[in-house]
Amino acid sequence: MANDSAIGIHDLSLATTEFVLPHTVLAEYNGTDVGKYHVGIGQRSMSVPAADEDIVTMGAAAAAPIIARHGGDGIRTIIFATESSIDQAKSAGIYVHSLLGLPAATRVVELKQACYAATAALQFAIGLVRRDPAQRVLVIASDVSRYDVDSPGEATQGAAAVAMLVGTDPALVRVEDPSGVFTADVMDFWRPNYRETALVDGQESIGAYLLAVEGSWKDYTEQGGRSLEEFAAFCYHQPFTKMAYKAHRQLLNYCGHDIDEERITRHLGLTTAYNNVIGNSYTASVYLALAALLDQADDLTGRAVGFLSYGSGSVAEFFAGTVAPGYREHLRTAANREAIDRRKEVGHARYRELHGHSFPPDGGDHLVPAETTGPFRLAALRGHKRVYEAR
Ligand code: COA
């Protein structure tokens, strides 16, 4: 099943926010038994952006170490995947391109299909590299997940970015053909242009996700994919980490396998470590699962990992990757842990303030208070333009 010419993920780096809200604080505020959060949905805390952080600052922070390690040469395309876009026309990737000082001879584009778009970006990147193997593509997935306060979705909020360098002879994961794909027109989660927060029918979205697992797996097998037994682990999109378990049980059922909880934990357990303290990072979530797996697992060299990417609305894709020999020397485990551990805890009142923060849509000059200690910040809005700066 391996590709003749291996193309895949050569480097992967993540970034998240300045602040974090523990679910114990949310539970204490709203009177929920914290077991519902810790056990029921599998979440312990959520990343909360400072007022001067957004998808651009997180995306640039995730990508900067990749450029520092490999340089910008050969990167002729940046694909920025997000569903929390900051502009209806201009790609957020252009701000990142500018902040990182990348060459003018680059194409930059933004992709959207809810939480699925980063997987589309990865697959499109592979197509570009197959066409010209000397090229490398920078894929950035960056999102702020925001639901109404006091809604069921509130406990599943989060924010993070993952940057991936895609090229030939990848140091981390060789992405295989084929892919299984699935689309269904459902209204399980959406965000009309006039809203800051998403609308979601939680139970509908769980059902739509589970149907998409079956649909994309069915197509994957029909395209000649691997059998279930061949996989060492599965990285699922994790809107909340318990969802990965629901999805995997669905897949086992669909394939006529027994539900062996110990085996399920072996396949999924390590993939939830970053998502359960960051929260839903939409497009980045499935690749945070990969980072957590690679950072913690015993040697996975040559082993197959299954990826199930789901984006409400809905589109899903199942594909496989093989872990590359020597991958451990290229991991960013310490930096990944530091990005998570450096976050400062906020209380409920401060979280509410940050959640409610928005800029007046008047085109006036608005300075943004300096809060983030990350490498990039949103400094101001000036004449309807967002002004970013390196710190
Ligand atoms: N201890 C342990 N578990 C508990 C509990 C407690 N005290 N109280 C509740 N639970 C469990 C429930 O049994 C349930 O588990 P189950 O799904 O395995 O049955 C789980 O916690 C969630 O409880 P539920 O009552 O369904 O929560 P909710 O109505 O608040 O909604 C979501 C949960 C996920 C639907 C909601 O957070 C949401 O809408 N999220 C955003 C959308 C989303 O993430 N969709 C996923 C697909 S993309």
Side-chain angles (χ1 to χ4, degrees):
M1 206 58 52
N3 294 322
D4 296 333
S5 59
I7 304 175
I9 304 167
H10 189 54
D11 196 359
L12 187 157
S13 160
L14 66 86
T16 183
T17 59
E18 185 69 12
F19 299 122
V20 61
L21 179 76
H23 278 77
T24 45
V25 173
L26 186 63
E28 195 183 316
Y29 171 81
N30 62 20
T32 299
D33 178 344
V34 78
K36 173 173 173 179
Y37 297 149
H38 288 174
V39 182
I41 60 171
Q43 293 304 126
R44 303 199 75 83
S45 59
M46 60 175 88
S47 283
V48 178
D52 55 352
E53 291 178 320
D54 66 9
I55 57 165
V56 168
T57 63
M58 290 192 298
I66 290 184
I67 303 303
R69 186 185 279 180
H70 307 275
D73 291 350
I75 298 178
R76 291 179 56 80
T77 305
I78 299 173
I79 313 179
F80 195 110
T82 189
E83 60 174 302
S84 31
S85 196
I86 48 153
D87 195 286
Q88 294 285 22
K90 179 165 173 156
S91 167
I94 298 179
Y95 296 106
V96 174
H97 174 271
S98 166
L99 286 167
L100 299 183
L102 293 171
T106 312
R107 67 165 74 81
V108 184
V109 70
E110 186 168 309
L111 279 192
K112 176 179 69 185
Q113 180 19 64
C115 306
Y116 164 72
T119 296
L122 175 62
Q123 297 293 354
F124 297 169
I126 289 167
L128 286 168
V129 173
R130 196 162 282 159
R131 185 179 174 193
D132 174 6
Q135 282 195 33
R136 293 175 302 164
V137 178
L138 183 60
V139 169
I140 299 170
S142 185
D143 267 305
V144 176
S145 145
R146 194 170 277 147
Y147 296 94
D148 284 340
V149 294
D150 300 326
S151 72
E154 182 180 23
T156 67
Q157 296 176 121
V162 166
M164 296 183 279
L165 190 63
V166 177
T168 52
D169 198 15
L172 299 180
V173 175
R174 300 169 174 178
V175 176
E176 297 179 355
D177 294 333
S179 265
V181 288
F182 177 82
T183 289
D185 183 4
V186 284
M187 293 303 283
D188 58 330
F189 169 108
W190 67 108
R191 183 167 67 85
N193 285 346
Y194 50 83
R195 283 184 62 98
E196 296 266 326
T197 52
L199 294 165
V200 62
D201 181 335
Q203 297 309 329
E204 169 101 13
S205 74
I206 292 171
Y209 186 137
L210 296 178
L211 267 182
V213 169
E214 287 185 14
S216 54
W217 175 262
K218 179 172 180 290
D219 187 49
Y220 177 70
T221 52
E222 285 170 3
Q223 301 295 320
R226 290 176 180 270
S227 69
L228 212 52
E229 295 77 13
E230 292 177 60
F231 292 97
F234 294 82
C235 294
Y236 284 90
H237 168 52
Q238 294 170 12
F240 53 97
T241 64
K242 263 297 158 65
M243 190 65 221
Y245 286 81
K246 287 180 192 286
H248 199 52
R249 283 188 202 110
Q250 182 86 2
L251 183 59
L252 293 175
N253 253 327
Y254 180 74
C255 296
H257 286 238
D258 291 340
I259 304 297
D260 171 352
E261 292 296 338
E262 208 176 295
R263 188 159 161 245
I264 294 175
T265 302
R266 207 164 55 242
H267 279 150
L268 305 185
L270 299 179
T271 70
T272 62
Y274 294 162
N275 285 308
N276 73 16
V277 289
I278 286 176
N280 192 357
S281 57
Y282 291 159
T283 52
S285 145
V286 66
Y287 300 100
L288 286 180
L290 172 64
L293 174 70
L294 296 181
D295 282 347
Q296 299 175 94
D298 292 338
D299 192 8
L300 283 171
T301 302
R303 306 295 305 277
V305 175
F307 294 83
L308 187 287
S309 180
Y310 173 77
S312 290
S314 72
V315 176
E317 179 160 347
F318 187 96
F319 65 98
T322 320
V323 180
Y327 75 97
R328 285 175 138 174
E329 290 156 36
H330 304 274
L331 295 176
R332 298 179 177 276
T333 311
N336 292 345
R337 296 212 168 115
E338 167 63 14
I340 291 167
D341 293 345
R342 67 183 278 280
R343 296 171 303 168
K344 299 182 186 79
E345 222 175 281
V346 284
H348 193 267
R350 180 76 182 113
Y351 149 71
R352 277 288 179 102
E353 241 173 64
L354 288 162
H355 188 285
H357 169 79
S358 67
F359 296 104
D362 60 2
D365 286 3
H366 303 285
L367 289 177
V368 187
E371 283 184 324
T372 183
T373 54
F376 304 99
R377 63 181 297 270
L378 173 65
L381 249 69
R382 219 166 271 145
H384 291 295
K385 296 173 191 148
R386 293 171 93 86
V387 180
Y388 291 95
E389 63 185 21
R391 277 197 340 109

